[in-house]
């Protein structure tokens, strides 16, 4: 099937779109016909920092796409409250919401402070919740909608005792300290599944999507919390998987906590 204009006439809002997975999804959705609203804190290019909304917008516009840049701090409730109204005011509708922005620190769980705890849940759980609440009212009026929450394989439960010190999963969970981040992403996946079933009468799809392993985005490379033993996949793989979850009929594809490569394989789609 030709999906070159699969999102023609739709408006997609992507958070965390200044770099990495968010920027990749935004640019890819634009090539499939969507008008794009880009949200992040970094509007203009900054010295020593890769990625900005203006750079993502330039990529989209160079390919003939239409986009809107919204500078906002998703940890700030006041900033969050103005995002959806800005999209509706500019484009007149909202069909797709991709909650991609996240706060991530790999800290030993016994060293996590109340500030860390608050930021992690504010960005990774509360922001997707509140943006979804705002978006869904417009989607109900339009008769359809798609919400995609970007998760992480760190949401998977670690192995239990007796521990195999040669196991990469044991090593990562013991020494990589993903517990705080993984806890928020596990909450996000449960939240997504709950949204999906509760909105099943309204023709609105809610899914979550995580990479199988490491996506070498700017953020991942800055954290440097991976090894040569990890599976590495491209941003393009996540973008293609996101496209599938944001275009299929909500009555057939909702409530999934999907992993990128297994999803594409199940659909018979080549891995980018």
């Amino acid at each position: 099937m030709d999906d070159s204009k699969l999102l023609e006439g739709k408006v997609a809002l992507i958070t965390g779109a200044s770099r990495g997975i968010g920027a990749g999804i935004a640019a890819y959705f634009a090539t499939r016909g969507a008008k794009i609203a880009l949200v992040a804190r970094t509007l203009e290019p900054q010295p020593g920092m890769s990625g900005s909304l203006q750079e993502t917008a330039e990529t989209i516009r160079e390919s003939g796409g239409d986009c809107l840049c919204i500078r906002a701090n998703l940890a700030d409730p006041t900033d969050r409250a103005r995002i959806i109204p800005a999209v509706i005011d500019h484009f007149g509708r909202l069909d797709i919401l991709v909650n991609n922005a996240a706060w991530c620190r790999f800290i030993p769980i016994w060293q996590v402070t109340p500030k860390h705890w608050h930021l992690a849940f504010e960005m990774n759980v509360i922001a997707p919740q509140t943006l979804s609440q705002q978006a869904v009212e417009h989607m109900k009026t339009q008769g359809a909608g798609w919400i995609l929450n970007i998760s992480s394989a760190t949401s998977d439960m670690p192995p239990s005792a007796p521990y195999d010190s040669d196991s990469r999963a044991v090593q990562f969970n013991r020494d990589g300290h993903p517990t705080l981040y993984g806890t928020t992403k596990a909450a996000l996946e449960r939240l997504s599944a709950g949204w999906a079933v509760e909105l099943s009468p309204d023709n609105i799809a809610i899914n979550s999507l995580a990479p199988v392993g490491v996506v070498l985005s700017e953020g991942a490379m800055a954290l440097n919390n991976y090894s040569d033993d990890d599976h590495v996949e491209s941003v393009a793989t996540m973008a293609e998987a996101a496209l599938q979850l944001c275009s299929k009929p909500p009555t057939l594809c909702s409530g999934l906590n999907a992993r990128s490569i297994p999803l594409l394989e199940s659909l018979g789609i080549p891995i980018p």
Side-chain angles (χ1 to χ4, degrees):
M1 181 183 69
D2 179 15
D3 65 357
S4 61
K5 296 299 179 183
L6 192 59
L7 302 181
E8 187 74 37
K10 292 184 170 59
V11 174
L13 166 60
I14 319 291
T15 70
S18 59
R19 59 183 66 90
I21 292 172
I25 291 174
Y28 192 53
F29 279 20
T31 67
R32 295 303 184 264
K35 297 177 181 180
I36 309 294
L38 307 165
V39 177
R41 288 186 302 172
T42 308
L43 178 62
E44 301 174 346
Q46 302 292 317
M49 179 184 296
S50 175
S52 67
L53 289 180
Q54 289 185 352
E55 290 168 274
T56 305
E58 182 178 353
T59 298
I60 290 171
R61 289 167 181 153
E62 284 178 349
S63 65
D66 186 4
C67 63
L68 168 70
C69 293
I70 303 173
R71 184 185 183 278
N73 177 8
L74 287 168
D76 182 347
T78 302
D79 266 14
R80 288 199 302 261
R82 63 181 175 81
I83 293 170
I84 303 294
V87 176
I88 300 299
D89 182 64
H90 186 83
F91 289 118
R93 63 184 296 122
L94 176 61
D95 302 276
I96 298 167
L97 168 63
V98 179
N99 288 306
N100 167 73
W103 186 87
C104 180
R105 294 293 184 277
F106 291 98
I107 309 165
I109 193 61
W110 57 89
Q111 294 179 9
V112 170
T113 67
K115 180 180 179 179
H116 294 145
W117 197 259
H118 173 78
L119 276 172
F121 274 89
E122 190 75 32
M123 282 289 294
N124 302 352
V125 182
I126 297 174
Q129 165 71 9
T130 55
L131 288 178
S132 297
Q133 286 176 310
Q134 296 170 36
V136 77
E137 295 307 314
H138 299 282
M139 294 175 180
K140 284 182 177 180
T141 300
Q142 293 163 190
W146 292 261
I147 297 174
L148 180 61
N149 295 319
I150 301 302
S151 188
S152 164
T154 59
S155 65
D156 293 342
M157 289 290 288
S160 58
Y163 296 109
D164 178 2
S165 294
D166 294 327
S167 164
R168 174 58 185 151
V170 169
Q171 293 170 2
F172 174 68
N173 281 280
R174 181 191 63 208
D175 306 326
H177 309 297
T179 301
L180 173 61
Y181 185 60
T183 297
T184 63
K185 290 302 186 178
L188 181 64
E189 291 183 359
R190 177 60 180 88
L191 181 67
S192 302
W195 267 90
V197 69
E198 291 191 44
L199 283 181
S200 56
D202 295 297
N203 201 38
I204 300 172
I206 297 90
N207 294 290
S208 69
L209 172 67
V212 170
V214 177
V215 177
L216 290 185
S217 63
E218 294 89 342
M221 288 187 284
L223 289 168
N224 195 32
N225 198 35
Y226 57 91
S227 77
D228 292 339
D229 295 327
D230 288 320
H231 171 84
V232 176
E233 66 184 74
S234 68
V235 170
T237 303
M238 283 292 288
E240 180 61 51
L243 175 68
Q244 297 304 316
L245 293 174
C246 292
S247 60
K248 295 197 174 300
T251 53
L252 300 177
C253 185
S254 188
L256 295 176
N257 287 319
R259 296 292 186 263
S260 54
I261 291 175
L263 174 69
L264 295 179
E265 289 175 341
S266 71
L267 298 172
I269 296 172
I271 309 301

